[in-house]
Amino acid sequence: MTDMTATLRLQHYNLPAMDRAHHHFTALLGALPMVSKTALPCLLNSLILNAREHFDQEERFMQVTGYPGYDSHRRQHQALLKMLDDYHQQLQHQVGPDALTLHSQLCLWQDEHQQNWDDPLAQYLRHAHSWHPHEQVLLSLES
């Protein structure tokens, strides 16, 4: 039997909100190889809800701090959510990837996303000057 966890990579950023969200998502990913075919849509729904919540939070952090890579990073989030929604729709019609294929694809996405998108964001967020909310963002959040 091959090691199903070999592609799971969890980066720790020393940013509690970001780390908690990544740990939870990774735990859900870790359950994929063991999920039954009938429970797969439910687990996929949990992954979708978790990803949306995490992405919303991360995007708020980017907006409040004026993160320069916001638009590109947000597009990455939207692409994953579309992929997950498409898989969810396929499973509703009894088609689509099996749990192991989905696990492999999501682990690859997570690894690439963490290295290319979350690492630079975490470095930016760790700088204290980043956490002085920008007036324009505050006005839009108050609306």
Side-chain angles (χ1 to χ4, degrees), residues 9 11-12 25 31 39 41 46-47 50 61 65 69 71 75 77 85 89 99 104 111 126 128 143:
R9 174 182 172 266
Q11 180 66 41
H12 182 76
F25 187 76
S46 293
L47 278 162
N50 175 267
F61 289 165
T65 60
D71 290 328
R75 281 193 295 274
H77 291 166
D85 285 338
Q89 288 297 318
S104 176
D111 187 51
R126 279 194 291 269
S143 303

Side-chain angles (χ1 to χ4, degrees), residues 98-116:
D98 60 45
L100 287 176
T101 300
L102 185 57
H103 177 260
S104 176
Q105 291 174 348
L106 292 176
C107 286
L108 287 173
W109 182 90
Q110 180 191 34
D111 187 51
E112 185 272 334
H113 185 78
Q114 286 182 114
Q115 289 182 48
N116 297 321

Side-chain angles (χ1 to χ4, degrees), residues 56-68 70 124 130-143:
D56 286 347
Q57 177 189 58
E58 200 170 86
E59 290 168 13
R60 283 191 307 272
F61 289 165
M62 288 188 272
Q63 286 180 309
V64 168
T65 60
Y67 182 64
Y70 170 76
Y124 181 83
S130 300
W131 287 101
H132 298 292
H134 298 266
E135 186 174 322
Q136 183 180 11
V137 174
L138 286 178
L139 293 174
S140 68
L141 292 174
E142 291 173 356
S143 303

Side-chain angles (χ1 to χ4, degrees), residues 9-40:
R9 174 182 172 266
L10 182 59
Q11 180 66 41
H12 182 76
Y13 297 109
N14 202 26
L15 295 166
M18 204 170 176
D19 291 338
R20 271 192 306 275
H22 288 159
H23 292 172
H24 190 202
F25 187 76
T26 301
L28 291 171
L29 283 182
L32 271 171
M34 299 172 278
V35 72
S36 69
K37 191 172 185 170
T38 56
L40 180 57

